[in-house]
Amino acid sequence: MGGLRVVKVSRNELEVSVIPELGGLIWSIKYGGYELLYHHRDPEPIEHFREGLMPEDFYNVVFFGGWFEVIPNAGYASRYAGASFGLHDEAPYLPWRVEYDEEVDEYSILMIVTLRKYPLKLYRRIRLINSNEVLIRERLINLSNQALKFSWLHHPNFGGDLLSERTVLELPEGTEVEVDKYLNSPSILEPGYRGLFPMVKSKGGEVVDLSRFPRSINTEDLVYVPTVKGNWFRLINEDLGIRLEANWDSSIFRSMWMWRPLNSPNYPWFGRIYATALEPTTSWPATGLAEQVKNGTAYEIQGNGELNTWIKIKVTS
């Protein structure tokens, strides 16, 4: 695909495709032939885009869709511990390698990346544990003897056949949300509004239901769940009868971001995007690592330390 190697694993109705050299991107998750992830455009090697781009632009230009993973800087450009980071830097912009060990079988993929700006190494094993469940197990290693602060975020962009006006998002009852007030995006929502999911207020004072995804609006919303009340979300397409449920390790991924680019106008989307991303993360808001350290939401790994975590996706129909 576009000169890039695609690795697939499948188990009956479930199929997962990854592009290791493109930031370890999970490009596709299909269930019963239905695509669950959003695809913005066909992937190309990142090297085609590196020259002449500002740190804030690089992500926007190389955004292909799919499910990518961000560490150590979740959010906008930042400088911390002497390192300069761009938007969602740096794991999505590095080639990951596929390796084989005694656990690898026909239903699993093991990918590894070593960061370049930060002494961290990440192992990610994707396993189809049955015909409708994907388990992602991860091991993060600090290659230095210095304690390191970082932010870590999973960025699955849902769309394809899953997302429509008849799709509903479910979160645990009593989930508190806060609308982003830090970034300059064409959102219809009132910056800084706090309340209980799913209802928030627009800039004009109208009530907006975050559990639905209307095609008639033009917006790019970012909403935070500062502290996850439960460790799950569900997306249910009522027409197709597809139900996707995610669970994760909330001891590490303590927060969640909700990104809603629905026909977002102007650069970089120009109305050509209809997707939603539900993003388990260590940290918030999306102001970058230095600010996350200041506000106390950055995560820390001890010198020569190791962290183990997991995320699981289950699909039924």
Side-chain angles (χ1 to χ4, degrees), residues 112-189:
I112 302 171
V113 65
T114 302
L115 304 188
R116 295 174 181 174
K117 299 179 184 180
Y118 231 47
L120 294 175
K121 187 174 185 177
L122 179 61
Y123 294 75
R124 180 174 69 189
R125 189 183 304 275
I126 301 171
R127 178 178 294 280
L128 311 189
I129 56 177
N130 54 47
S131 60
N132 69 334
E133 289 184 274
V134 182
L135 176 63
I136 299 173
R137 290 194 290 120
E138 298 187 289
R139 179 161 60 105
L140 181 68
I141 297 175
N142 184 348
L143 300 175
S144 77
N145 59 11
Q146 175 182 332
L148 298 173
K149 293 186 183 295
F150 62 91
S151 49
W152 189 359
L153 173 140
H154 277 267
H155 202 302
N157 301 284
F158 296 108
D161 299 304
L162 178 62
L163 198 68
S164 78
E165 292 190 305
R166 293 281 294 159
T167 299
V168 61
L169 168 64
E170 295 183 351
L171 298 180
E173 186 176 355
T175 293
E176 296 181 353
V177 297
E178 180 173 323
V179 177
D180 178 75
K181 62 183 178 183
Y182 305 95
L183 309 178
N184 183 23
S185 64
S187 174
I188 64 170
L189 302 182

Coordinates of all heavy atoms in Angstrom, one line a residue, residues 112-189:
I112 N 7.8 -3.2 17.9 CA 8.6 -2.5 18.9 C 9.1 -1.2 18.3 O 9.4 -1.1 17.1 CB 9.9 -3.4 19.2 CG1 9.4 -4.8 19.8 CG2 10.8 -2.7 20.2 CD1 10.5 -5.8 20.0
V113 N 9.2 -0.2 19.1 CA 9.8 1.1 18.7 C 10.7 1.6 19.8 O 10.3 1.5 21.0 CB 8.7 2.1 18.3 CG1 7.8 2.5 19.5 CG2 9.3 3.4 17.7
T114 N 11.8 2.2 19.5 CA 12.7 2.9 20.4 C 12.7 4.3 20.0 O 13.0 4.7 18.9 CB 14.1 2.3 20.3 OG1 14.1 0.9 20.6 CG2 15.0 3.0 21.3
L115 N 12.3 5.2 21.0 CA 12.2 6.6 20.7 C 13.5 7.2 20.4 O 14.6 6.7 20.9 CB 11.4 7.3 21.8 CG 10.0 6.8 22.2 CD1 9.4 7.8 23.2 CD2 9.2 6.6 21.0
R116 N 13.6 8.3 19.8 CA 14.9 9.0 19.4 C 15.2 10.2 20.3 O 16.3 10.5 20.6 CB 14.9 9.4 18.0 CG 14.8 8.2 17.0 CD 14.7 8.6 15.6 NE 14.6 7.4 14.7 CZ 14.3 7.5 13.4 NH1 14.2 8.6 12.8 NH2 14.3 6.4 12.7
K117 N 14.1 10.9 20.7 CA 14.3 12.1 21.5 C 14.3 11.8 23.0 O 14.6 12.7 23.8 CB 13.2 13.1 21.2 CG 13.2 13.6 19.8 CD 12.1 14.6 19.5 CE 12.0 15.0 18.1 NZ 10.9 16.0 17.9
Y118 N 13.8 10.6 23.4 CA 13.6 10.3 24.8 C 14.0 8.8 24.9 O 13.7 8.0 24.1 CB 12.1 10.4 25.1 CG 11.7 11.2 26.3 CD1 12.2 12.5 26.5 CD2 10.7 10.7 27.2 CE1 11.8 13.2 27.6 CE2 10.3 11.5 28.3 CZ 10.9 12.7 28.5 OH 10.5 13.5 29.6
P119 N 14.6 8.4 26.0 CA 15.1 7.1 26.2 C 14.0 6.1 26.6 O 14.1 5.5 27.7 CB 16.2 7.2 27.2 CG 15.8 8.4 28.1 CD 15.1 9.3 27.1
L120 N 13.1 5.9 25.8 CA 12.0 4.9 26.0 C 11.9 3.9 24.9 O 12.1 4.3 23.7 CB 10.6 5.7 26.2 CG 10.4 6.6 27.4 CD1 9.1 7.4 27.3 CD2 10.5 5.9 28.7
K121 N 11.5 2.7 25.3 CA 11.3 1.6 24.3 C 10.0 1.0 24.6 O 9.6 0.7 25.8 CB 12.4 0.6 24.4 CG 12.4 -0.5 23.4 CD 13.6 -1.4 23.5 CE 13.7 -2.4 22.4 NZ 14.9 -3.3 22.5
L122 N 9.2 0.8 23.6 CA 7.8 0.3 23.7 C 7.6 -0.9 22.9 O 7.9 -1.0 21.7 CB 6.8 1.4 23.2 CG 5.3 1.1 23.3 CD1 4.9 0.8 24.8 CD2 4.5 2.2 22.7
Y123 N 7.1 -1.9 23.6 CA 6.7 -3.2 23.0 C 5.2 -3.2 23.0 O 4.5 -3.0 24.0 CB 7.2 -4.4 23.8 CG 8.7 -4.6 23.9 CD1 9.4 -3.8 24.7 CD2 9.3 -5.6 23.2 CE1 10.8 -3.9 24.8 CE2 10.6 -5.8 23.3 CZ 11.4 -5.0 24.1 OH 12.8 -5.2 24.2
R124 N 4.6 -3.5 21.8 CA 3.1 -3.6 21.7 C 2.8 -5.0 21.0 O 3.2 -5.2 19.9 CB 2.6 -2.5 20.9 CG 1.1 -2.5 20.7 CD 0.5 -1.3 20.1 NE 0.9 -1.2 18.7 CZ 0.7 -0.2 17.9 NH1 0.1 0.9 18.4 NH2 1.1 -0.2 16.6
R125 N 2.0 -5.8 21.7 CA 1.6 -7.0 21.1 C 0.1 -7.0 20.9 O -0.7 -6.7 21.8 CB 1.9 -8.2 22.1 CG 1.6 -9.6 21.5 CD 1.8 -10.7 22.5 NE 3.2 -10.6 23.1 CZ 4.2 -11.2 22.6 NH1 4.1 -11.8 21.4 NH2 5.4 -11.1 23.2
I126 N -0.3 -7.1 19.6 CA -1.7 -7.2 19.3 C -2.1 -8.6 19.0 O -1.5 -9.3 18.2 CB -2.0 -6.4 18.0 CG1 -1.5 -4.9 18.1 CG2 -3.4 -6.4 17.5 CD1 -1.5 -4.1 16.8
R127 N -3.2 -9.0 19.8 CA -3.6 -10.4 19.7 C -5.1 -10.5 19.5 O -5.9 -9.8 20.2 CB -3.2 -11.2 20.9 CG -3.7 -12.7 20.9 CD -3.2 -13.4 22.1 NE -1.8 -13.6 22.2 CZ -1.1 -14.5 21.5 NH1 -1.7 -15.4 20.7 NH2 0.2 -14.6 21.5
L128 N -5.5 -11.3 18.5 CA -7.0 -11.6 18.4 C -7.2 -12.8 19.3 O -6.9 -13.9 19.0 CB -7.3 -11.9 16.9 CG -6.8 -11.0 15.8 CD1 -7.4 -11.3 14.5 CD2 -7.1 -9.5 16.2
I129 N -7.8 -12.5 20.4 CA -8.0 -13.6 21.4 C -9.1 -14.5 21.1 O -9.2 -15.6 21.7 CB -8.1 -13.0 22.9 CG1 -9.2 -12.0 23.0 CG2 -6.8 -12.3 23.3 CD1 -9.4 -11.4 24.4
N130 N -10.1 -14.0 20.3 CA -11.1 -14.9 19.7 C -11.6 -14.2 18.5 O -11.0 -13.3 17.9 CB -12.2 -15.2 20.7 CG -12.8 -13.9 21.3 OD1 -13.1 -13.0 20.6 ND2 -12.9 -13.9 22.6
S131 N -12.8 -14.6 17.9 CA -13.2 -14.1 16.7 C -13.9 -12.7 16.7 O -14.3 -12.2 15.7 CB -14.2 -15.1 16.0 OG -15.3 -15.2 16.9
N132 N -13.9 -12.1 17.9 CA -14.5 -10.7 18.0 C -13.8 -9.8 19.1 O -14.3 -8.8 19.4 CB -16.0 -10.8 18.3 CG -16.3 -11.3 19.7 OD1 -15.5 -12.0 20.3 ND2 -17.5 -10.9 20.2
E133 N -12.6 -10.2 19.5 CA -11.9 -9.4 20.6 C -10.4 -9.2 20.2 O -9.7 -10.2 19.8 CB -12.0 -10.1 21.9 CG -13.3 -10.0 22.6 CD -13.3 -10.6 24.0 OE1 -13.5 -11.9 24.1 OE2 -13.2 -9.9 24.9
V134 N -10.0 -8.0 20.3 CA -8.6 -7.6 20.1 C -8.0 -7.2 21.4 O -8.5 -6.3 22.1 CB -8.4 -6.5 19.1 CG1 -6.9 -6.2 18.8 CG2 -9.1 -6.8 17.8
L135 N -6.9 -7.8 21.9 CA -6.2 -7.4 23.1 C -4.8 -6.8 22.7 O -4.1 -7.5 22.0 CB -6.0 -8.6 24.0 CG -5.2 -8.4 25.3 CD1 -5.9 -7.4 26.2 CD2 -4.9 -9.7 26.0
I136 N -4.6 -5.6 23.2 CA -3.3 -5.0 23.0 C -2.6 -4.9 24.4 O -3.1 -4.3 25.3 CB -3.5 -3.5 22.5 CG1 -4.2 -3.6 21.1 CG2 -2.1 -2.8 22.4 CD1 -4.5 -2.2 20.6
R137 N -1.5 -5.6 24.5 CA -0.7 -5.6 25.7 C 0.6 -4.9 25.4 O 1.3 -5.1 24.3 CB -0.3 -7.1 26.1 CG -1.5 -7.8 26.7 CD -1.1 -9.1 27.4 NE -0.6 -10.1 26.5 CZ 0.6 -10.6 26.6 NH1 1.4 -10.2 27.5 NH2 1.0 -11.5 25.8
E138 N 1.0 -4.0 26.3 CA 2.2 -3.2 26.1 C 3.2 -3.2 27.2 O 2.7 -3.3 28.4 CB 1.7 -1.7 25.8 CG 0.9 -1.6 24.5 CD 0.5 -0.2 24.1 OE1 -0.3 0.4 24.9 OE2 1.1 0.3 23.1
R139 N 4.4 -3.0 26.9 CA 5.5 -2.9 27.9 C 6.4 -1.7 27.6 O 6.9 -1.7 26.5 CB 6.3 -4.2 28.0 CG 7.4 -4.2 29.0 CD 7.9 -5.6 29.3 NE 8.4 -6.3 28.1 CZ 9.7 -6.6 27.9 NH1 10.6 -6.2 28.7 NH2 10.0 -7.2 26.8
L140 N 6.5 -0.8 28.5 CA 7.3 0.4 28.3 C 8.5 0.3 29.2 O 8.4 0.1 30.4 CB 6.5 1.7 28.6 CG 7.2 3.0 28.5 CD1 7.4 3.3 27.0 CD2 6.3 4.1 29.1
I141 N 9.7 0.5 28.6 CA 10.9 0.4 29.3 C 11.7 1.8 29.3 O 11.8 2.4 28.2 CB 11.8 -0.7 28.8 CG1 11.1 -2.1 28.9 CG2 13.2 -0.7 29.4 CD1 11.8 -3.2 28.3
N142 N 12.1 2.2 30.4 CA 13.0 3.4 30.5 C 14.5 2.9 30.4 O 15.0 2.1 31.2 CB 12.8 4.1 31.9 CG 13.6 5.4 32.0 OD1 14.5 5.7 31.2 ND2 13.3 6.1 33.1
L143 N 15.1 3.4 29.3 CA 16.5 2.9 29.0 C 17.5 3.7 29.7 O 18.7 3.5 29.5 CB 16.7 3.0 27.5 CG 15.8 2.2 26.6 CD1 16.0 2.5 25.1 CD2 15.9 0.7 26.9
S144 N 17.1 4.7 30.5 CA 18.0 5.5 31.3 C 17.9 5.2 32.8 O 16.9 4.6 33.2 CB 17.8 7.0 31.0 OG 16.7 7.5 31.7
N145 N 18.8 5.8 33.6 CA 18.7 5.7 35.0 C 18.0 6.9 35.6 O 18.0 7.0 36.9 CB 20.0 5.4 35.7 CG 21.0 6.5 35.4 OD1 20.7 7.6 34.9 ND2 22.3 6.3 35.7
Q146 N 17.4 7.7 34.8 CA 16.8 8.9 35.2 C 15.2 8.8 35.2 O 14.7 8.2 34.2 CB 17.2 10.1 34.3 CG 16.4 11.4 34.6 CD 16.9 12.5 33.6 OE1 18.0 12.5 33.1 NE2 16.0 13.4 33.3
A147 N 14.5 9.2 36.2 CA 13.1 9.1 36.1 C 12.6 10.1 35.0 O 13.1 11.2 34.9 CB 12.5 9.5 37.5
L148 N 11.6 9.6 34.3 CA 11.1 10.4 33.1 C 9.6 10.7 33.2 O 8.9 9.7 33.5 CB 11.4 9.7 31.8 CG 12.9 9.4 31.5 CD1 12.9 8.5 30.2 CD2 13.6 10.6 31.2
K149 N 9.2 11.9 33.0 CA 7.8 12.2 32.9 C 7.4 12.2 31.4 O 8.2 12.7 30.5 CB 7.5 13.6 33.5 CG 7.7 13.6 35.0 CD 7.3 14.9 35.6 CE 7.6 14.9 37.1 NZ 6.8 13.9 37.9
F150 N 6.2 11.8 31.1 CA 5.8 11.7 29.7 C 4.2 11.7 29.7 O 3.6 11.5 30.7 CB 6.3 10.4 29.1 CG 5.8 9.1 29.8 CD1 4.6 8.5 29.4 CD2 6.5 8.6 30.9 CE1 4.1 7.4 30.0 CE2 6.0 7.5 31.5 CZ 4.8 6.9 31.1
S151 N 3.7 11.9 28.5 CA 2.3 11.7 28.3 C 2.1 10.6 27.2 O 2.9 10.6 26.3 CB 1.5 13.0 28.0 OG 2.2 13.7 27.0
W152 N 1.1 9.8 27.4 CA 0.9 8.6 26.5 C -0.6 8.6 26.2 O -1.5 8.7 27.0 CB 1.3 7.4 27.3 CG 1.4 6.1 26.7 CD1 1.1 5.8 25.3 CD2 1.8 4.9 27.3 NE1 1.4 4.5 25.1 CE2 1.8 3.9 26.3 CE3 2.2 4.5 28.6 CZ2 2.1 2.6 26.5 CZ3 2.5 3.2 28.8 CH2 2.5 2.2 27.8
L153 N -0.9 8.4 24.9 CA -2.2 8.5 24.4 C -2.5 7.5 23.3 O -1.6 7.4 22.4 CB -2.5 9.9 23.9 CG -3.9 10.2 23.2 CD1 -4.4 11.6 23.7 CD2 -3.7 10.3 21.7
H154 N -3.6 6.8 23.3 CA -4.1 6.0 22.2 C -5.1 6.8 21.4 O -6.0 7.4 22.0 CB -4.7 4.7 22.7 CG -3.7 3.6 22.9 ND1 -3.4 2.6 22.0 CD2 -3.0 3.3 24.0 CE1 -2.5 1.8 22.5 NE2 -2.2 2.2 23.8
H155 N -4.9 6.8 20.1 CA -5.7 7.7 19.2 C -6.5 6.9 18.2 O -6.1 7.0 17.0 CB -4.8 8.8 18.6 CG -5.5 10.0 18.1 ND1 -6.5 10.0 17.2 CD2 -5.3 11.3 18.5 CE1 -6.9 11.2 17.0 NE2 -6.2 12.0 17.7
P156 N -7.4 6.1 18.6 CA -8.2 5.3 17.5 C -9.2 6.3 16.9 O -10.1 6.9 17.6 CB -8.9 4.2 18.4 CG -9.0 4.8 19.7 CD -7.8 5.7 19.9
N157 N -9.2 6.4 15.6 CA -10.1 7.3 14.8 C -11.2 6.4 14.2 O -10.9 5.6 13.3 CB -9.3 8.0 13.7 CG -8.2 8.9 14.3 OD1 -8.5 9.9 14.8 ND2 -7.0 8.4 14.2
F158 N -12.4 6.5 14.8 CA -13.5 5.6 14.4 C -14.3 6.3 13.2 O -14.5 7.5 13.2 CB -14.4 5.3 15.5 CG -13.7 4.5 16.6 CD1 -13.4 5.1 17.8 CD2 -13.4 3.2 16.4 CE1 -12.8 4.4 18.8 CE2 -12.8 2.5 17.4 CZ -12.5 3.1 18.6
G159 N -14.7 5.5 12.3 CA -15.4 6.0 11.2 C -15.9 4.8 10.3 O -16.4 3.9 10.9
G160 N -15.5 4.9 9.0 CA -15.9 3.8 8.2 C -17.4 3.4 8.2 O -18.2 4.3 8.2
D161 N -17.7 2.1 8.4 CA -19.1 1.7 8.4 C -19.7 1.9 9.8 O -20.9 1.9 10.0 CB -19.2 0.2 8.1 CG -18.7 -0.1 6.7 OD1 -19.2 0.5 5.7 OD2 -17.8 -0.9 6.5
L162 N -18.8 2.1 10.8 CA -19.3 2.2 12.2 C -20.0 3.5 12.5 O -21.0 3.5 13.3 CB -18.1 2.0 13.2 CG -18.4 2.1 14.7 CD1 -19.4 1.0 15.1 CD2 -17.1 2.0 15.5
L163 N -19.5 4.6 12.0 CA -20.0 5.9 12.4 C -21.0 6.4 11.4 O -20.8 6.5 10.2 CB -18.8 6.9 12.5 CG -19.1 8.2 13.3 CD1 -19.2 7.9 14.7 CD2 -18.0 9.2 13.0
S164 N -22.1 6.9 12.0 CA -23.2 7.5 11.2 C -24.1 8.3 12.1 O -23.9 8.3 13.3 CB -24.0 6.4 10.4 OG -24.9 5.8 11.3
E165 N -25.1 8.9 11.6 CA -26.0 9.6 12.4 C -26.9 8.7 13.3 O -27.5 9.2 14.2 CB -27.0 10.5 11.5 CG -26.3 11.6 10.8 CD -27.3 12.6 10.2 OE1 -28.1 12.1 9.4 OE2 -27.2 13.8 10.5
R166 N -26.8 7.4 13.0 CA -27.5 6.4 13.8 C -26.5 5.7 14.8 O -26.9 4.6 15.3 CB -28.2 5.4 12.9 CG -29.3 6.0 12.1 CD -30.6 6.2 12.9 NE -31.1 4.8 13.3 CZ -31.9 4.6 14.3 NH1 -32.3 5.6 15.1 NH2 -32.4 3.4 14.6
T167 N -25.4 6.3 15.0 CA -24.4 5.7 16.0 C -24.5 6.5 17.3 O -24.7 7.7 17.3 CB -23.0 5.9 15.4 OG1 -22.9 5.1 14.2 CG2 -22.0 5.3 16.4
V168 N -24.5 5.8 18.4 CA -24.6 6.4 19.7 C -23.3 6.0 20.5 O -22.8 4.9 20.4 CB -25.9 5.9 20.4 CG1 -25.9 4.4 20.6 CG2 -26.0 6.7 21.8
L169 N -22.8 7.0 21.2 CA -21.7 6.8 22.1 C -22.2 6.6 23.6 O -23.0 7.4 24.0 CB -20.7 8.0 22.1 CG -19.6 8.0 23.1 CD1 -18.7 6.8 23.0 CD2 -18.9 9.4 23.0
E170 N -21.8 5.6 24.3 CA -22.1 5.4 25.7 C -20.9 5.4 26.5 O -19.8 4.9 26.2 CB -22.8 4.0 25.8 CG -24.1 3.9 25.1 CD -24.8 2.5 25.4 OE1 -24.2 1.7 26.0 OE2 -26.0 2.4 25.0
L171 N -21.0 6.1 27.7 CA -19.9 6.2 28.7 C -20.6 5.9 30.0 O -21.8 5.9 30.2 CB -19.3 7.6 28.8 CG -18.6 8.2 27.5 CD1 -18.1 9.6 27.8 CD2 -17.5 7.2 27.1
P172 N -19.8 5.5 31.0 CA -20.3 5.2 32.4 C -21.2 6.4 32.9 O -20.9 7.6 32.7 CB -19.1 5.0 33.2 CG -18.0 4.6 32.3 CD -18.3 5.3 31.0
E173 N -22.3 6.0 33.5 CA -23.2 7.0 34.1 C -22.4 8.0 35.1 O -21.6 7.5 35.9 CB -24.3 6.4 34.8 CG -25.4 7.3 35.3 CD -26.6 6.6 35.9 OE1 -26.6 5.4 35.9 OE2 -27.5 7.3 36.5
G174 N -22.7 9.2 35.0 CA -22.1 10.2 35.8 C -20.7 10.7 35.4 O -20.0 11.3 36.2
T175 N -20.3 10.4 34.1 CA -19.0 10.8 33.6 C -19.0 12.3 33.5 O -19.8 12.9 32.8 CB -18.7 10.1 32.3 OG1 -18.6 8.7 32.4 CG2 -17.5 10.7 31.6
E176 N -18.0 12.9 34.1 CA -17.8 14.4 34.0 C -16.9 14.7 32.8 O -15.9 14.1 32.6 CB -17.2 14.9 35.3 CG -18.1 14.7 36.5 CD -17.4 15.3 37.8 OE1 -16.2 15.7 37.8 OE2 -18.1 15.3 38.8
V177 N -17.3 15.8 32.1 CA -16.6 16.2 30.9 C -16.2 17.7 31.0 O -16.9 18.4 31.7 CB -17.3 15.9 29.6 CG1 -17.6 14.4 29.5 CG2 -18.7 16.7 29.6
E178 N -15.2 18.1 30.3 CA -14.8 19.5 30.2 C -14.4 19.8 28.8 O -13.6 19.2 28.2 CB -13.7 19.8 31.2 CG -13.3 21.3 31.1 CD -12.2 21.7 32.1 OE1 -12.3 21.2 33.3 OE2 -11.3 22.5 31.8
V179 N -15.1 20.8 28.2 CA -14.8 21.3 26.9 C -13.4 22.0 26.8 O -13.1 22.8 27.7 CB -15.9 22.2 26.3 CG1 -15.5 22.7 24.9 CG2 -17.2 21.4 26.3
D180 N -12.6 21.7 25.8 CA -11.3 22.3 25.7 C -11.4 23.8 25.6 O -12.3 24.4 24.9 CB -10.6 21.8 24.5 CG -9.2 22.5 24.3 OD1 -8.3 22.1 25.0 OD2 -9.1 23.4 23.4
K181 N -10.5 24.5 26.3 CA -10.5 26.0 26.3 C -9.1 26.5 25.9 O -8.9 27.7 26.0 CB -10.9 26.6 27.6 CG -10.0 26.2 28.8 CD -10.5 26.7 30.1 CE -9.6 26.3 31.3 NZ -10.1 26.8 32.6
Y182 N -8.2 25.6 25.5 CA -6.8 26.0 25.3 C -6.4 26.1 23.9 O -5.5 26.9 23.5 CB -5.9 25.0 26.0 CG -6.2 24.7 27.4 CD1 -7.0 23.7 27.8 CD2 -5.7 25.6 28.4 CE1 -7.3 23.5 29.2 CE2 -6.0 25.3 29.8 CZ -6.8 24.3 30.1 OH -7.1 24.1 31.4
L183 N -7.1 25.4 23.0 CA -6.7 25.3 21.6 C -7.6 26.2 20.7 O -8.8 26.4 21.0 CB -6.6 23.9 21.1 CG -5.8 22.9 22.1 CD1 -5.9 21.5 21.5 CD2 -4.4 23.4 22.2
N184 N -7.1 26.5 19.6 CA -7.9 27.4 18.6 C -8.4 26.5 17.5 O -7.8 26.3 16.5 CB -7.0 28.5 18.0 CG -7.8 29.4 17.1 OD1 -9.0 29.5 17.2 ND2 -7.1 30.0 16.2
S185 N -9.6 25.9 17.8 CA -10.2 25.0 16.8 C -11.6 25.5 16.5 O -12.2 26.2 17.3 CB -10.2 23.5 17.3 OG -11.1 23.4 18.4
P186 N -12.1 25.2 15.3 CA -13.4 25.7 14.9 C -14.6 24.9 15.6 O -15.4 24.3 14.9 CB -13.4 25.5 13.4 CG -12.5 24.3 13.1 CD -11.5 24.4 14.2
S187 N -14.6 24.9 16.9 CA -15.6 24.1 17.7 C -16.8 25.0 17.9 O -16.8 26.2 18.1 CB -15.0 23.7 19.0 OG -16.0 23.1 19.8
I188 N -18.0 24.3 17.9 CA -19.2 25.0 18.2 C -19.5 25.0 19.7 O -20.4 25.7 20.1 CB -20.4 24.3 17.5 CG1 -20.6 22.9 18.0 CG2 -20.3 24.3 16.0 CD1 -21.9 22.2 17.6
L189 N -18.6 24.3 20.5 CA -18.9 24.2 21.9 C -18.4 25.4 22.7 O -17.4 26.0 22.3 CB -18.3 22.9 22.4 CG -18.8 21.6 21.8 CD1 -18.1 20.4 22.4 CD2 -20.3 21.5 21.8

